[in-house]
Every structure is written in structure tokens, then in C-alpha cells.
Amino acid sequence: MSANRKTMLTSAIASRAIKDSFVKLNPASMMRNPVMFVVEVGTVVVLLLTLFPRFFGTERDVGFNLAVFLILLFTVLFANFAEALAEGRGKAQADSLKNTKKEVNANKVVGGVVKVVPSADLRKGDVVVVSQGEMMPGDGEVIEGLASVDESAITGESAPVIKEAGGDFSSVTGGTRVVSDKITVRITSDPGESFIDRMISLVEGAKRQKTPNELALNTLLTSLTIIFLVVVVTLGPIAGYLEIDLQVPVLIALLVCLIPTTIGGLLSAIGIAGMDRVTQFNVLAMSGKAVEAAGDINMMILDKTGTITYGNRMASEFVPVGGSDVRTVGEWASISSLNDETPEGRSVLEMMKQQGMTFDASLAAGADFIEFKAETRMSGVDLPDGRKVRKGAVDAVKKWVAAQGGSIPVDLDAAGDSIAREGGTPLAVAVDNRIYGLIYLKDTVKPGMRERFDQLRQMGIKTIMCTGDNPLTAATIAREAGVDDFMAESKPEDKIALIRREQAEGKLVAMTGDGTNDAPALAQADVGLAMNSGTIAAKEAANMVDLDSDPSKIIEVVSIGKQLLMTRGALTTFSIANDIAKYFAIIPAMFILAIPEMSVLNVMGLGSPLSAILSALIFNAIIIPLLIPLAMKGVAYKPMSASKLLSRNIVIYGLGGVIVPFAGIKLIDMVVHLWV
């Protein structure tokens, strides 16, 4: 991962945030945050009282009013700064992504002829050829060939990745560079709709939506603000009836200190920072809701191929059956793979070369190639001499041979089961009515997966592996990877049914996948994490994309989601607890001259009524920037029950929210009292 994505704060980000703090003073922008909008309105009212003292009859209070205005202004600016700072990292990444969008020429295939056209002229469905050293002109899928592609502009990783036709590693992204070989690509997006365009839009915050939890908290904060607003508005007439003179700036100071300005000023920053923290792990979140939901998931469903395993099933051995020999199996397997562009097909030909075996390729001259289909689960060739060669799933080939009137070798099932028990995939090779042997395809579990699944288990998250493999193969891979359960021979509709069944029981489900067949399940899941190496369909269906294509990254996403919820809860507890100290600072100051008996509430021993009010306001303002690092970094996540978490918040942030303001206001008053 590139270093700039890990940087929490730079001078450029801070400078932009300071500028945006003033831009965000626009009332149309402030109205999105009701708490801080009330503070801004109060700031404007006090400013008018300061600028036109004769009109309002406040000549003797100009100094105090000016001090209140400046403190309130900085309160609003600090809140805006927190939000702008959180947005800054996303904007910085967006600027970096925009630099990767260069106008390049594309080798477009038109009527079998290659024409050079600007990439901006490409449309969905166009076919282009991209050779070594050339930039990918747009998003697409490889339809022919194999090449190494440098995706460092997107993922930050310098190591190139292999992109090839067929399978789940065919997706390519505009702005990446081919470093070897040549591939033919079908464009899958129109200009302005590419993956990079979507990333830029998302990280800039244009499509960020408030999560349900954030909306509920906003409703609570708005309700508290309205309640305190009514209290303060009615306090003036009541004080007047008792012949107590309460100036408007004093009432505004009381309102600002009592409403939850701390969490109100930091709420947006917490949510945005949560999404940005996900981005620091090279995961692109389509919405804040996805990040928040990740903090509450109970179950995680993983596709096997390309997610738990590398997904490149390679031929590793030819296994003869029915009295055949290895060379014969290899020859027919190679003939059936001559026009097979899938990784498995190419690996058969590669293994023949590695083992020094040859075959007569001229037999397939003019043959009809039979593509693999999900219905038949076989592929092969129909030779000009009338012979039919097939390779595919063992049970499918057995049915095909039986239909030709052939017999099944007695040792076929045992050989196939042996391969499956070792975690491999057996492909049967047959010519007309005879099965000659098996191709042993191996798929390897990615390193460290067992440890990562242990971590998920400690978080209380159950893991289920879904695969189209037979039960024996699925059980072997599941055991090696360390998942809690598995579903073998699963189809896309089976994955959706499993997710819906768990959701109906009130569980939140996460799904990771990379193939087109995973797209429906990714869309159905509460958290859908698609691998960037996967297909366009998978990435469009998910609400998160892992640019590093590491399925275990869900652990970081879950931790960040839980951290987001914990941070919001902790700072809300701290903010509300703050009001207790502010109450003891301002209420006595307001009435102590008219009602000397209220001095008993001045438990902090503040110097004077004016210094008490100003000290409370100053503390209310400076606590916001002091808490910005916590809002940006988040409260450290530690697995624990809800009751323990509540107790921890009350002890640390509830008690701290009471003690810190008492100490802070007292210290500020010791300085302010000298000036007043």
C-alpha cells in the first residue's frame, strides 16, 4: 500500500481544511447540522449586538459581546475544521486518482482492422487491443490473451498482476498499464462511468449518505437542541418577571453550552473518517451505511475460488484409468485444450511442455471447438475424422460416455475421489465412448487464511465457504482454510437463499466474492465486498471493493465498522456528560447577583459571573479541536460484550466527560478572571 494513503494529516490537507472551514459557514451548508446551525445563528445575533450597540442598547456590554462572538465563531469554525479535515484525505486521494486519468490513444478493432482513436471516443462494447507498455484506455474485460498489468495507480501496489481471458481474473481498469504481452479487451463502460470516475466521486464525498445510526443520533441531538432552545427562550421572560436582567448574549452562551455542541461538531467527522479509514486499507466503500453495517455483522459468506484460494486451478498431473497410460491421457487432454482460452485449458498445454511430452496437433486442424457450458459442464472438440473429444466434470463425462454406449472404468470413481480428498479437482478426459483418465487440477488456499478466520471467530462472526465443487473437495478446502462451515455444489441462487435465510433470523451478513456468479449474493448481502481482480459485474453489485483483492481484509473492515460505532457512542457520552460542568459554571453566574443564595452552586469557585460564562464558552470551543484526533483515529476496538462496552463508556467517557470540564473550566477561569 502506498505511503500517502496511510498519512493521517499533511500540511496540504490541513491548509485546505482551514479554507473549507470558512466556506462551510454558508448557512445552506450549516443547516445540514442542526446543532451547529443554532450556534451559527447565535453567533450572528451576538455579532449584530456588537456592531450596533446603540441600536440595541448594549453599549456597556460591547467588550463582553465581542468576546462571546469570537468564541462562538471559533466554535463553529472548529466544528467545520473537523469535518473538512476528515474530508481532506478523501479529496487528496481523489486528486491523486484524477492524475491517473490521462487522455490516451486506443487501438480499436473495427471490422477486423485496428484503428487508433482517442480513448474518449470509446463506448461500451467496443473491442481494443492493448500491448506491452500501453495504457489501458478504459474499463473492460479480457476476451483474448494473457498479460501482466501494473495496477499501482489504483491499488498502490507495485507488483503487476496477471489478467487473462476467462475465469474471474479478466477485469481490467482504465489507467493501468500493460507491462508484458498483449491482450484484447472489450470495453464495459462509457466515458465518465469508469471505475476511476466512480472512485473519485465516492472519495470526494459526493455520494456519502448518513447511516441509519447517524440519522437516529442526529434526531436525538436535534431533539435536545429544540428542548434547550425552548428552555432558554422561556428563561428570559421568567427572569424579567423576577426582575433579573439576563442579556441576550448570556442566554445564547447558556444555550450553546447546554446543547450537545461537542458531538454535534464532530458527528460528521466521525462518519467521514470511518469511510476514510477503510480507504486507508485500500477498500473503497460505496456508502457509510456499508461501513457501519460491517460493525454489526454476524456471519460472513465467502466464495472459494479466487477468494479463499488463488482461483487458478492448474493441471498438475495426468491420472490414467481403465488400463490407459499417462501419455495417452495427456495427448487427448491437450487436443481438447488447443482452443481452450481458460486458465485450466492453457495449464494443460503448459504441463505437457514441462513434462517433455508431445502430441499431434494436426488432428485438430479444422475441428469444431465445443466451449464449456454450465449446463453440460464439459468442453472439447469434434475432430474432422468424426471422433469427439471431451473433458469436464467426472459425472458429466460419465453421462456423456454412457449416452455414447460406452462403459465406465471401474477405477474412475476411486481415482476421482482420491484427487478430491486432496483438495484438487478431477476432470475426466474421454474420446467417443471411452474414458482415458483424469486431469488433476490444483487450487491452493491463500496463506494466512486460517489465522484470519480465527480472528473472525473471536469477533463472534461465523464463516461459511460456498463453492461449486463436490462435497469431498469442498470439505478438504474448508478444513485447510479453517472456516466454520461450507456449502458444496452451490449455485448463485443457493448463496442468495442462504443469505436471505440468515437475514430473516435478524442477522447481518457479509459476502465476499469476485465472479459474475457472485454478483447476486453480493447485492443481497448487508456488506458485499468484491475483489478488484474480479469481474465488473461483481464490483458493481457490491457496496465495497477491495483494491488489493484480499478477502481477509473484511477483518479490518469489521474492526473499522465497530470502531466507528464505538467512537460515536463514546463521544456522545462525553458530550452529554460535559453539560453537567457547564451547568454548574453558567447557571450560578447568571443569577448569583440577583439571588446570592445560588452561590452555593458555584462549586468550582469561579472568579466572577462574566469570567464563568466566558470560561465555559472557551472550554466548549476548544474541546472540539482537542477531540478531533480521537474522532479521526477512532476509539480502539477491543472485542467485548455490549454490557461491558456500555460500562466502559460510562466509566471512561461519562466520568471523564464530567471531570475534564470541571478542571478545564476552572483553569481557563483563572486566566480569564485576570483579564475580566
Side-chain angles (χ1 to χ4, degrees):
M1 192 182 300
S2 58
N4 66 316
R5 288 189 178 165
K6 292 182 179 179
T7 302
M8 291 283 290
L9 179 63
T10 65
S11 58
I13 292 176
S15 299
R16 180 186 292 191
I18 292 173
K19 177 183 177 182
D20 288 346
S21 299
F22 289 90
V23 174
K24 288 176 178 290
L25 290 175
N26 183 342
S29 175
M30 293 297 297
M31 286 181 69
R32 295 198 300 261
N33 189 335
V35 177
M36 299 315 299
F37 179 68
V38 169
V39 179
E40 184 178 46
V41 171
T43 306
V44 173
V45 171
V46 177
L47 175 62
L48 294 176
L49 294 175
T50 305
L51 295 177
F52 307 103
R54 292 185 180 179
F55 182 80
F56 294 104
T58 56
E59 293 93 333
R60 63 186 177 88
D61 299 318
V62 171
F64 175 76
N65 291 350
L66 178 60
V68 172
F69 162 72
L70 291 175
I71 296 170
L72 293 181
L73 176 62
F74 278 104
T75 302
V76 178
L77 288 174
F78 286 150
N80 288 348
F81 179 73
E83 183 176 2
L85 198 61
E87 292 174 343
R89 286 182 292 169
K91 291 179 179 178
Q93 188 188 5
D95 291 341
S96 175
L97 289 170
K98 287 175 183 176
N99 292 333
T100 68
K101 289 191 63 181
K102 300 175 182 177
E103 185 62 37
V104 298
N105 289 328
N107 302 313
K108 181 180 177 181
V109 180
V110 181
V113 179
V114 176
K115 293 185 177 180
V116 179
V117 300
S119 60
D121 292 347
L122 294 177
R123 294 295 183 270
K124 188 174 182 179
D126 288 345
V127 176
V128 298
V129 177
V130 190
S131 302
Q132 181 176 346
E134 293 180 345
M135 192 78 75
M136 202 70 63
D139 292 356
E141 289 188 317
V142 181
I143 58 176
E144 184 180 334
L146 176 149
S148 295
V149 179
D150 177 9
E151 295 189 327
S152 58
I154 307 299
T155 66
E157 295 291 345
S158 57
V161 294
I162 301 298
K163 297 292 182 178
E164 54 191 353
D168 293 336
F169 297 91
S170 59
S171 171
V172 291
T173 305
T176 57
R177 184 181 296 275
V178 174
V179 295
S180 71
D181 302 298
K182 180 175 70 175
I183 50 177
T184 302
V185 177
R186 180 181 292 112
I187 299 298
T188 56
S189 65
D190 291 327
E193 299 176 357
S194 69
F195 187 59
I196 289 183
D197 289 316
R198 291 172 61 205
M199 286 177 66
I200 292 172
S201 175
L202 289 164
V203 298
E204 282 184 326
K207 295 185 179 180
R208 282 194 176 106
Q209 297 178 350
K210 290 184 178 179
T211 64
N213 185 283
E214 190 175 351
L215 288 171
L217 186 54
N218 257 324
T219 302
L220 172 63
L221 299 183
T222 302
S223 301
L224 290 175
T225 301
I226 293 173
I227 291 171
F228 284 121
L229 182 61
V230 172
V231 170
V232 171
V233 168
T234 57
L235 192 59
I238 293 174
Y241 178 77
L242 297 174
E243 298 181 353
I244 299 174
D245 184 21
L246 292 181
Q247 299 297 320
V248 172
V250 174
L251 291 173
I252 291 175
L254 174 65
L255 175 63
V256 170
C257 286
L258 291 185
I259 63 176
T261 49
T262 304
I263 185 62
L266 295 172
L267 185 59
S268 295
I270 294 170
I272 295 171
M275 288 187 67
D276 285 341
R277 279 198 298 276
V278 172
T279 305
Q280 305 311 306
F281 285 96
N282 264 9
V283 175
L284 178 64
M286 307 303 183
S287 70
K289 182 178 180 181
V291 181
E292 187 174 289
D296 286 329
I297 65 169
N298 312 101
M299 177 173 290
M300 180 176 169
I301 297 173
L302 306 99
D303 175 54
K304 187 208 79 172
T305 306
T307 303
I308 292 177
T309 63
Y310 282 110
N312 290 327
R313 298 185 304 168
M314 300 300 209
S316 62
E317 186 181 351
F318 296 126
V319 181
V321 297
S324 183
D325 58 78
V326 172
R327 178 173 293 277
T328 303
V329 177
E331 288 175 349
W332 289 120
S334 299
I335 289 173
S336 68
S337 303
L338 275 174
N339 294 316
D340 187 351
E341 288 296 324
T342 65
E344 293 89 343
R346 285 193 293 273
S347 72
V348 169
L349 300 178
E350 184 63 28
M351 190 173 72
M352 286 289 288
K353 292 180 182 178
Q354 291 176 355
Q355 296 188 359
M357 293 191 292
T358 59
F359 65 98
D360 187 4
S362 64
L363 287 175
D368 294 327
F369 175 64
I370 309 300
E371 292 186 2
F372 176 86
K373 293 183 179 180
E375 295 81 6
T376 62
R377 296 160 64 205
M378 293 186 301
S379 64
V381 292
D382 289 346
L383 301 178
D385 60 12
R387 285 182 292 181
K388 297 181 179 181
V389 186
R390 295 291 185 271
K391 74 171 188 292
V394 175
D395 58 334
V397 173
K398 285 167 64 177
K399 290 180 181 178
W400 183 78
V401 168
Q404 309 293 317
S407 59
I408 308 301
V410 294
D411 55 348
L412 175 65
D413 289 339
D417 290 346
S418 176
I419 292 173
R421 278 194 298 272
E422 294 177 12
T425 301
L427 291 184
V429 179
V431 181
D432 292 331
N433 61 355
R434 180 180 176 184
I435 297 178
Y436 283 89
L438 299 170
I439 304 172
Y440 184 171
L441 297 180
K442 270 190 177 179
D443 194 3
T444 307
V445 174
K446 294 179 179 179
M449 294 303 294
R450 175 175 288 275
E451 292 76 15
R452 304 293 267 172
F453 290 141
D454 286 341
Q455 287 180 262
L456 286 170
R457 202 170 292 112
Q458 291 173 5
M459 293 179 178
I461 299 172
K462 181 180 180 181
T463 53
I464 299 178
M465 180 188 78
C466 287
T467 175
D469 290 337
N470 62 66
L472 282 174
T473 302
T476 301
I477 296 295
R479 186 168 54 254
E480 184 179 344
V483 294
D484 295 315
D485 201 354
F486 67 90
M487 177 186 290
E489 298 178 342
S490 62
K491 298 182 288 294
E493 50 267 32
D494 295 328
K495 298 176 184 178
I496 293 179
L498 174 61
I499 293 173
R500 287 176 177 169
R501 187 164 61 248
E502 297 297 332
Q503 288 173 332
E505 296 177 3
K507 296 179 181 177
L508 289 180
V509 182
M511 168 76 190
T512 66
D514 61 352
T516 301
N517 64 328
D518 298 321
L522 287 167
Q524 177 66 38
D526 299 285
V527 178
L529 179 64
M531 304 296 105
N532 189 44
S533 61
T535 62
I536 296 293
K539 289 189 282 189
E540 289 182 346
N543 51 24
M544 288 189 185
V545 177
D546 176 19
L547 302 180
D548 295 329
S549 301
D550 177 6
S552 65
K553 194 79 68 67
I554 191 70
I555 294 176
E556 278 78 17
V557 175
V558 169
S559 297
I560 291 170
K562 291 183 181 295
Q563 190 179 48
L564 171 63
L565 296 174
M566 290 175 64
T567 303
R568 192 178 293 153
L571 290 183
T572 301
T573 304
F574 184 88
S575 178
I576 294 175
N578 265 347
D579 292 342
I580 298 175
K582 297 171 191 173
Y583 172 87
F584 280 103
I586 293 186
I587 295 297
M590 293 174 61
F591 297 101
I592 197 168
L593 294 179
I595 309 175
E597 291 80 5
M598 291 199 70
S599 60
V600 71
L601 294 179
N602 186 16
V603 294
M604 286 182 276
L606 302 179
S608 69
L610 290 183
S611 70
I613 294 171
L614 291 176
S615 298
L617 274 180
I618 292 172
F619 176 84
N620 193 66
I622 65 174
I623 195 64
I624 294 176
L626 290 178
L627 289 174
I628 287 177
L630 181 61
M632 296 280 286
K633 186 177 181 181
V635 176
Y637 166 67
K638 295 180 180 179
M640 62 180 67
S641 64
S643 58
K644 287 184 178 179
L645 180 59
L646 178 61
S647 301
R648 178 174 178 268
N649 271 358
I650 292 175
V651 171
I652 298 177
Y653 298 99
L655 189 59
V658 173
I659 296 174
V660 171
F662 270 95
I665 292 173
K666 177 61 178 177
L667 290 173
I668 295 171
D669 179 75
M670 293 171 66
V671 177
V672 173
H673 180 57
L674 297 176
W675 170 66
V676 174

